[in-house]
Amino acid sequence: MNESFSIFSHHGSKSGVERAAEVIFTASGFFAVLAVASITLYMVISGVPALFQVGILDILFGSVWAPTAADPSYGILYVILTSIVGTFLAILIGVPIGVLTAVFLAEVAPKKLANVVRPAVELLAGIPSVIYGLLGLLILNPLMYKLELKIFEGSTTHQFTGGANLISAVLVLAVMILPTVINISESALRAVPSHFRSASLALGATQIQTIFKVTIPAAKSGIVTAIVLGTGRAIGEAMAISLVSGSAVNFPLPFNSVRFLTTAIVSEMSYSSGLHRQVLFTIGLVLFVFIMLINTSLTRLLKQSNVEEDKQVKGKGKKS
Amino acid sequence: MNSEAAIAINKDSVVRNSVYGKHVRTSDVILTGLIYLAASISILLLIGIMGYAFVRGIPQVNAEFLTSVPSTLKGTFGILGNIVNTLYIVVITLLIATPLGIGAAIYLNEYAKPGKAVRLIEFTTETLSGIPSIIFGLFGMVFFGNTIGLGYSILTGALTLTLMVLPLITRTTQEALKTVPDSYRSGALGIGATKWYMIRTILLPSAMPGIITGVILAIGRMVGESAALLFTAGSGFILPKNFFGKIFESGGTLTIQLYLCMQKAQYDEAFGIAVVLLVIVLAINGLAKYLACRFNVEK
């Protein structure tokens, strides 16, 4: 009789709501897949035409970048090299400092000090990248200019850059990857079981020997992950180095004004048109390919370290 | 090995390992020194960066700086327009990204069965979080700006940022959902609640502090973002005339204005903006920390 109070009358609308909820959640779950697929698609669609128009070899291995000249030339070899060399150098400087700071936080520092330093490092990660660029421009560049004047005094072949050169950019990048390297290495070091340390200490090793011969090797996969993530961050950084690295495309020598893959896009996109613009998208595509390589190697690394952890847990084959 | 030599080595090691003859290994001293050096570099960098920016920037920040817009006519320079733009972008992005991110996390945690689909979603989420912002910027410009036809506008910027912060919100929500004990779920389902009812009334409220922390971190990322916005949201700095119409107009955030000031060598103004940004970032960081702490205590 009174159907509105029976459970049956509600059943229909309720199961409708339930089904709608499931559909909505599934859709938003797959949104990330859609996003990555369309980003890949659009990067390829907008990056590939220029490759064929200019010629794959001419564009990737040409060393003359003169997109606005009367007889334009679109070689991005030096731009690619700059990104590779710059990232490599930034890793070379940033990783030792980062890993040692992580060791300090995880192993050496008294707890109270570590609890002050750790949030400070996290804060370093939160500082907007343009601010790093601003400070690099106003602190590093004048210093570099002084150095440049001293080194190249009387040189007639050197093109003076006012301090906006590869070294400045590398230093800014090194600072920017520090927080990433420190945070991830520290958690990797903390995850090393304490009986590893106790065993090493009990055998008579000093604390430093324990850290460098037991703890760090045991945390190896985590530290490698940190380095790979740092590489990704360094190669993709644009705004911080766009003004610091100079404004001409050159071979990546320390005191040359250089252009990275990212800074080429940032500084030329606004006034580019036609084929020039398409080539900038090709540069974006090259950067995208680099990032995808880094990402896939990262996933593989993480998988490997998971397998290794399982092995350690099962106690089957612990690597020395 | 003859016995004399063995004895000599033995003696040597006895002396070395005894407490009295204990000597300090040189390599230990050097490595300890390096560890302290590296740590102090990291700490000094932070202090130096913050200190320098605040010392140069604080004198620039005053009431006029915060409440006016750049105008050659009146000779003023202010960042009110950029603050409003930043707010617009943050709010719109959150309106889109939060439901999507939470929905994705709920799907992964509550609905999906382990298998290829879940692995695919998790892989793409990882990938999305590894893509540099300049690529998001290019994609946003081509897709939202040209293909969809939004041009340089706040909406284009917000849609681009949505893609960028989505992985962050998804992952933090997933973590928060994982900490909700299974007994809550079975309890709710056991007394007859439907799945959606259980999620709405039990899971989401229990996971709320974690979700909010994720959202706050996402706000921090948006406020500091620049490369993804340069070619999507543009660089407008005029105050909105029409509340909703502004969404389709170009609007530069604080970071973009800072970059433009740098390009024009207006360093004093740039440092003023830098201080405002740093204060916002500090506040967001503190808030996230505070929430995370409270969350842990409640657990």
Side-chain angles (χ1 to χ4, degrees):
Chain A
M1 256 180 64
N2 201 342
E3 277 197 347
S4 64
F5 285 117
S6 107
I7 352 176
F8 295 107
S9 71
H10 283 299
H11 183 73
S13 68
K14 253 189 192 158
S15 68
V17 171
E18 284 298 308
R19 218 170 299 135
E22 186 167 353
V23 169
I24 289 171
F25 290 137
T26 314
S28 41
F30 280 95
F31 186 79
V33 182
L34 181 74
V36 171
S38 44
I39 289 176
T40 314
L41 188 72
Y42 266 83
M43 289 314 291
V44 172
I45 287 180
S46 40
V48 165
L51 271 180
F52 290 109
Q53 236 166 303
V54 182
I56 296 179
L57 288 180
D58 284 344
I59 209 168
L60 292 180
F61 297 103
S63 57
V64 181
W65 175 256
T68 46
D71 179 24
S73 166
Y74 301 101
I76 60 169
L77 179 66
Y78 285 169
V79 181
I80 298 177
L81 277 181
T82 302
S83 263
I84 295 174
V85 171
T87 305
F88 179 73
L89 290 178
I91 293 287
L92 214 58
I93 300 171
V95 164
I97 298 180
V99 171
L100 286 178
T101 307
V103 167
F104 175 79
L105 287 176
E107 308 280 328
V108 182
K111 238 190 180 161
K112 274 187 187 162
L113 186 58
N115 283 342
V116 178
V117 176
R118 198 171 303 119
V121 170
E122 277 163 27
L123 199 60
L124 212 52
I127 295 178
S129 51
V130 276
I131 295 186
Y132 284 105
L134 178 64
L135 292 168
L137 194 63
L138 288 187
I139 300 176
L140 274 177
N141 283 1
L143 279 177
M144 286 301 148
Y145 188 49
K146 274 184 198 155
L147 207 62
E148 193 185 15
L149 285 177
K150 260 198 193 129
I151 292 175
F152 293 98
E153 216 178 352
S155 161
T156 47
T157 49
H158 182 72
Q159 225 176 355
F160 282 92
T161 58
N165 56 25
L166 181 66
I167 307 181
S168 305
V170 163
L171 288 177
V172 171
L173 286 180
V175 174
M176 293 194 66
I177 60 167
L178 265 184
T180 316
V181 176
I182 294 175
N183 281 337
I184 296 166
S185 314
E186 197 209 338
S187 40
L189 288 171
R190 279 184 189 282
V192 175
S194 63
H195 60 253
F196 281 31
R197 287 182 202 104
S198 315
S200 163
L201 291 172
L203 284 170
T206 61
Q207 194 198 7
I208 295 293
Q209 280 175 314
T210 307
I211 290 171
F212 283 91
K213 299 205 167 143
V214 177
T215 321
I216 290 182
K220 196 180 58 191
S221 64
I223 293 176
V224 173
T225 308
I227 296 174
V228 175
L229 277 176
T231 313
R233 184 144 191 223
I235 208 167
E237 184 49 54
M239 301 304 264
I241 52 172
S242 72
L243 295 179
V244 177
S245 64
S247 53
V249 178
N250 276 313
F251 189 77
L253 288 175
F255 282 97
N256 273 358
S257 155
V258 290
R259 212 156 241 187
F260 291 71
L261 289 168
T262 48
T263 60
I265 301 172
V266 168
S267 44
E268 293 183 25
M269 190 55 93
S270 51
Y271 64 80
S272 67
S273 62
L275 190 55
H276 182 190
R277 192 174 201 124
Q278 287 184 320
V279 174
L280 290 182
F281 276 105
T282 309
I283 294 181
L285 181 63
V286 173
L287 177 66
F288 187 67
V289 169
F290 275 132
I291 289 291
M292 283 319 223
L293 286 178
I294 291 172
N295 270 342
T296 33
S297 60
L298 186 69
T299 338
R300 203 167 297 161
L301 261 173
L302 289 177
K303 234 181 231 168
Q304 247 173 22
S305 70
N306 278 344
V307 172
E308 256 173 45
E309 264 165 36
D310 287 348
K311 266 188 195 162
Q312 280 184 3
V313 169
K314 281 174 196 158
K316 269 183 189 166
K318 193 176 71 60
K319 278 189 185 172
S320 58
Chain B
M1 190 190 277
N2 63 41
S3 58
E4 261 173 53
I7 289 169
I9 289 171
N10 200 20
K11 254 189 190 165
D12 189 26
S13 74
V14 164
V15 172
R16 210 176 352 164
N17 291 343
S18 84
V19 186
Y20 297 106
K22 187 172 185 181
H23 80 183
V24 182
R25 297 164 49 91
T26 342
S27 60
D28 279 15
V29 176
I30 295 172
L31 287 172
T32 317
L34 282 178
I35 291 175
Y36 277 93
L37 181 71
S40 34
I41 288 178
S42 307
I43 298 161
L44 286 179
L45 269 174
L46 179 79
I47 298 173
I49 289 171
M50 303 288 273
Y52 191 85
F54 273 107
V55 167
R56 293 241 359 213
I58 284 183
Q60 307 300 326
V61 182
N62 51 35
E64 194 202 296
F65 186 73
L66 292 174
T67 55
S68 62
V69 293
S71 156
T72 39
L73 208 64
K74 291 183 214 152
T76 57
F77 180 87
I79 54 169
L80 184 63
N82 303 109
I83 294 177
V84 173
N85 290 337
T86 311
L87 281 177
Y88 261 105
I89 288 198
V90 166
V91 169
I92 297 172
T93 308
L94 282 185
L95 280 180
I96 310 169
T98 317
L100 266 179
I102 295 178
I106 290 177
Y107 173 72
L108 286 173
N109 236 37
E110 308 297 327
Y111 283 94
K113 292 174 188 73
K116 268 194 182 153
V118 171
R119 255 180 292 149
L120 181 68
I121 294 174
E122 280 181 345
F123 173 73
T124 46
T125 310
E126 278 302 309
T127 311
L128 213 52
S129 68
I131 292 178
S133 44
I134 180 84
I135 300 268
F136 282 113
L138 284 181
F139 173 72
M141 182 176 86
V142 178
F143 185 70
F144 299 121
N146 294 349
T147 309
I148 295 188
L150 294 170
Y152 285 113
S153 69
I154 293 219
L155 191 58
T156 312
L159 288 169
T160 311
L161 284 195
T162 300
L163 299 180
M164 216 177 78
V165 297
L166 189 67
L168 184 65
I169 295 179
T170 307
R171 202 168 320 131
T172 41
T173 307
Q174 241 185 313
E175 293 300 319
L177 284 175
K178 271 181 196 155
T179 59
V180 179
D182 265 343
S183 55
Y184 284 28
R185 295 184 180 84
S186 24
L189 293 175
I191 56 173
T194 57
K195 195 158 190 175
W196 164 233
Y197 192 79
M198 180 267 288
I199 290 170
R200 192 159 52 91
T201 57
I202 308 288
L203 281 190
L204 286 180
S206 315
M208 203 41 92
I211 296 173
I212 291 176
T213 311
V215 169
I216 290 173
L217 288 175
I219 296 177
R221 189 124 191 240
M222 286 179 242
V223 171
E225 186 45 54
S226 43
L229 290 172
L230 190 57
F231 306 125
T232 52
S235 55
F237 49 77
I238 301 162
L239 282 177
K241 292 189 189 73
N242 175 342
F243 184 74
F244 288 108
K246 178 72 188 165
I247 295 173
F248 299 102
E249 286 165 21
S250 127
T253 59
L254 287 167
T255 45
I256 296 294
Q257 188 61 42
L258 169 48
Y259 181 72
L260 295 176
C261 284
M262 262 162 79
Q263 268 186 331
K264 288 183 236 154
Q266 301 171 325
Y267 296 126
D268 288 334
E269 288 85 351
F271 272 108
I273 303 174
V275 165
V276 174
L277 277 172
L278 282 177
V279 168
I280 297 175
V281 167
L282 274 172
I284 285 173
N285 236 306
L287 198 60
K289 267 271 140 58
Y290 170 75
L291 275 174
C293 271
R294 260 194 61 183
F295 185 36
N296 278 337
V297 168
E298 275 170 15
K299 257 203 311 191

